[in-house]
Amino acid sequence: MIAEIIRFVLSNFTLTFLVIGLLFSLAAIMRAPKPVTAAVVVEKLISWHVFWAIGVCFFYNFVMHSFFGQMAAQFIGWADSPFQFEVGTASLGFSVVGFLAAFRSFDLRLAAIVGPALFALGAGFGHIYQIVTQHNFAPGNAGVIFYLDFLIPLFGFLLLWLQHRLGRPAA
């Protein structure tokens, strides 16, 4: 049973890092000076979202595609290819920007969310294409990751909109 849980957590890493980011956000909100304003809640959510769901998640994706490309390709239902390394290095770029942006300006967070969001949305539509044309229902193509290719960008855009609307909390 423990092996299955570990396999689920590592195979569905986008969900894992989204949840960890939400847990860190919750802890940060609980530790924030009272009264906690909506701007503080959004600040904690977006900073930890960018750190975990972009920075850490895309670093994990870099490692998997760059060093375990054959396993990553098999999980997606594809043949291994040198393109895996290119996906890995793109993921490394997104990761670095995520780490730089997590606790910085709105504009840097905007850049950190938009690039990976377009990548994820493109991957999501690619998964749909693979499902329809190739009947590829591999876990990495039609599983949890497929849904999160849409959910995580939408959540990131929602957080950006809320922070733009509410502003950052006073220091």
Side-chain angles (χ1 to χ4, degrees), residues 6-136:
I6 292 170
R7 184 175 291 112
F8 179 84
V9 166
L10 295 177
S11 296
N12 296 292
F13 63 95
T14 54
L15 176 62
T16 300
F17 295 126
L18 176 65
V19 169
I20 291 172
L22 291 172
L23 293 173
F24 268 70
S25 299
L26 179 62
I29 292 164
M30 290 173 55
R31 295 185 68 213
K34 308 301 182 250
V36 177
T37 64
V40 168
V41 170
V42 171
E43 171 65 22
K44 302 305 181 192
L45 284 168
I46 197 168
S47 60
W48 289 112
H49 175 75
V50 170
F51 183 87
W52 285 100
I54 295 172
V56 176
C57 185
F58 276 93
F59 185 78
Y60 182 87
N61 202 48
F62 156 69
V63 169
M64 294 308 295
H65 281 279
S66 298
F67 301 106
F68 303 98
Q70 185 174 0
M71 182 172 57
Q74 182 180 12
F75 180 67
I76 300 169
W78 294 350
D80 191 20
S81 143
F83 186 68
Q84 295 283 72
F85 185 73
E86 292 181 23
V87 171
T89 56
S91 293
L92 179 60
F94 291 144
S95 173
V96 169
V97 174
F99 287 134
L100 291 171
F103 305 101
R104 303 286 178 118
S105 70
F106 175 84
D107 291 340
L108 196 49
R109 289 173 177 172
L110 175 68
I113 289 173
V114 168
L118 293 176
F119 177 83
L121 291 168
F125 286 112
H127 294 312
I128 291 170
Y129 179 80
Q130 289 290 312
I131 290 166
V132 171
T133 63
Q134 304 299 314
H135 307 289
N136 180 352

Side-chain angles (χ1 to χ4, degrees), residues 137-160:
F137 291 95
N141 194 66
V144 171
I145 288 175
F146 165 73
Y147 297 104
L148 289 169
D149 278 345
F150 296 101
L151 180 65
I152 289 174
L154 293 175
F155 186 59
F157 290 143
L158 173 65
L159 292 174
L160 284 169

